[in-house]
């Protein structure tokens, strides 16, 4: 093999090595971009949830210890409203404790002290 031939071969190897490094760096860069994209998606989702929670808490109304959503006269579960930012209407449930019927949450099973879910008008009277 001629010297020039060898040089060309070495040059090819150098180029390959440089390209391999470049490929490796591009690969790492792509991974970083994907990680950032994933993190951005997570933060966007978190922001939307916080926005929704803030909006929801803004429409909550408390009347003498009973919780309502603005424009809705049926009592909702204070725990689900506070913790999960969800409006779950209370229902009458069987209770182990007197008077054996309580307003309760069908979701988290919280029992209120009142025996039936209150309307806003009823809550206002107490
Ligand atoms: Zn609940």
């Amino acid at each position: 093999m001629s010297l020039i031939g060898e040089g060309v071969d070495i040059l090819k190897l150098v180029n390959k090595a440089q390209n391999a490094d470049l490929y490796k760096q591009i690969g790492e860069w792509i991974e970083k971009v994907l990680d950032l994209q994933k993190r951005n998606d997570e933060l966007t989702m978190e922001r939307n949830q916080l926005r929704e929670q803030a909006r929801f808490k803004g429409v909550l109304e408390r009347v003498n210890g009973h919780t309502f959503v603005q424009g809705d006269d049926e009592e909702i579960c204070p725990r689900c409203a506070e913790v999960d930012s969800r409006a779950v209407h209370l229902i009458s449930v069987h209770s182990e404790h007197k008077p054996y019927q309580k307003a309760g949450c069908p979701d988290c099973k919280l029992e209120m002290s009142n025996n039936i879910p209150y309307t806003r008008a009823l809550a206002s009277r107490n």
Side-chain angles (χ1 to χ4, degrees):
M1 192 182 278
S2 72
L3 264 178
I4 292 176
E6 268 185 57
V8 168
D9 282 347
I10 290 170
L11 199 63
K12 279 182 190 167
L13 285 176
V14 167
N15 281 342
K16 271 186 193 166
Q18 281 177 344
N19 284 343
D21 194 40
L22 185 63
Y23 288 144
K24 187 171 170 268
Q25 283 186 21
I26 290 175
E28 287 168 0
W29 181 80
I30 288 171
E31 269 178 38
K32 277 183 200 163
V33 170
L34 288 175
D35 281 349
L36 286 174
Q37 183 65 57
K38 191 173 163 237
R39 185 75 189 123
N40 187 51
D41 290 348
E42 287 168 0
L43 288 172
T44 300
M45 198 185 298
E46 199 175 310
R47 183 205 60 196
N48 289 345
Q49 282 171 352
L50 288 172
R51 245 186 215 167
E52 178 55 25
Q53 279 176 15
R55 189 201 63 76
F56 180 75
K57 290 197 172 157
V59 297
L60 286 182
E61 286 177 3
R62 291 199 170 74
V63 182
N64 293 323
H66 302 274
T67 310
F68 301 89
V69 171
Q70 278 174 12
D72 181 1
D73 281 344
E74 292 175 49
E75 186 175 10
I76 62 167
C77 172
R79 187 225 158 263
C80 288
E82 195 63 43
V83 179
D84 304 327
S85 295
R86 290 187 307 128
V88 180
H89 285 117
L90 297 179
I91 57 170
S92 285
V93 295
H94 177 77
S95 172
E96 301 293 317
H97 311 286
K98 278 186 177 178
Y100 305 115
Q101 184 189 320
K102 302 271 185 170
C105 177
D107 190 45
C108 72
K109 310 302 177 198
L110 178 81
E111 282 185 12
M112 303 293 287
S113 57
N114 40 316
N115 62 345
I116 54 164
Y118 276 14
T119 59
R120 193 182 300 266
L122 194 54
S124 301
R125 264 183 257 146
N126 290 338

